[in-house]
């Protein structure tokens, strides 16, 4: 492994850890600022299907990401009253390569959601497309392939 790759990996890890912390803390404005203007956020039912023609759990462009955040910030979203208590663990971070201006990073995420109805584990493989914008890393895309995406899932009303 070259020194440059190690630095890229470390920087990618720090970015993913920060993203997870911001989401856990419901620091939604800071979390939203991590996205590029052309961002895509995808949680597919079938990771091999085209999300433009097949159903997805989440398939948001940048505008829909902003709308989702505004809805959560109103405090009137019934499914998040009271808000979920969340704790993410990001592991197995790998720099997978590049695609144009983006660096493709893979990882595993485990999200523990605690609510009155009980505790739910959300576990999956994540692919981020990270891009440097004005000297800072930003997410151009995030795809979360849940282990249980093909099964009936409880309401997921928070940000993966």
């Amino acid at each position: 492994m070259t020194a440059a790759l190690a630095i890229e990996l470390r920087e990618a890890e720090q970015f993913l850890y920060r993203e997870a912390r911001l989401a856990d803390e419901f620091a939604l404005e800071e979390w939203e600022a991590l996205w590029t203007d052309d961002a895509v956020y995808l949680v597919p039912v079938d990771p091999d299907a085209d999300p433009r023609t097949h159903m997805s759990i989440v398939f948001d462009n940048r505008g829909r990401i902003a709308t989702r955040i505004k809805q959560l910030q109103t405090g009137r979203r019934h499914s998040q009253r009271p808000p979920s208590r969340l704790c993410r663990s990001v592991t197995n971070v790998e720099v997978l390569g590049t695609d144009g201006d983006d660096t493709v990073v893979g990882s595993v995420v485990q999200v523990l959601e605690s609510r009155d109805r009980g505790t739910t584990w959300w576990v999956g493989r994540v692919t981020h497309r990270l891009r440097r914008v004005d000297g800072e890393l930003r997410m151009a895309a995030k795809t979360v392939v849940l282990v249980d995406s093909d099964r009936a899932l409880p309401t997921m009303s928070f940000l993966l």
Side-chain angles (χ1 to χ4, degrees):
M1 180 180 293
T2 67
L5 184 55
I7 292 168
E8 288 180 13
L9 176 61
R10 183 71 177 144
E11 186 177 20
E13 288 173 331
Q14 290 303 303
F15 181 88
L16 298 185
Y17 300 155
R18 179 171 178 242
E19 183 213 353
R21 179 180 52 78
L22 292 174
D24 282 348
E25 295 173 354
F26 284 91
L28 300 178
E29 290 175 9
E30 294 92 336
W31 186 82
E32 183 181 4
L34 298 177
W35 292 91
T36 62
D37 291 340
D38 62 342
V40 175
Y41 174 35
L42 174 64
V43 183
V45 172
D46 178 355
D48 297 321
D50 182 344
R52 294 169 295 195
T53 58
H54 290 79
M55 186 177 71
S56 296
I57 298 164
V58 174
F59 182 41
D60 291 351
N61 63 16
R62 186 64 181 83
R64 181 69 184 120
I65 293 166
T67 299
R68 189 178 296 273
I69 288 169
K70 286 180 186 138
Q71 289 171 342
L72 286 168
Q73 288 175 322
T74 65
R76 289 182 250 139
R77 195 161 197 189
H78 176 71
S79 60
Q80 280 298 303
R81 301 267 313 145
S84 295
R85 289 175 296 193
L86 303 166
C87 186
R88 288 168 174 76
S89 177
V90 178
T91 64
N92 299 19
V93 179
E94 297 178 277
V95 174
L96 301 174
T98 59
D99 185 6
D101 292 335
D102 299 343
T103 299
V104 181
V105 178
S107 64
V108 172
V109 68
Q110 298 177 44
V111 182
L112 176 70
E113 179 190 22
S114 178
R115 299 200 45 81
D116 290 341
R117 70 172 183 245
T119 301
T120 305
W121 278 102
W122 302 86
V123 180
R125 293 203 170 269
V126 183
T127 303
H128 283 83
R129 292 172 57 100
L130 302 180
R131 182 182 307 151
R132 200 169 299 282
V133 178
D134 297 328
E136 299 289 327
L137 282 184
R138 298 286 181 252
M139 293 183 287
K142 179 178 180 180
T143 301
V144 182
V145 178
L146 293 170
V147 171
D148 293 333
S149 66
D150 61 342
R151 297 183 183 159
L153 297 171
T155 301
M156 182 183 60
S157 55
F158 60 93
L159 302 165
L160 272 175

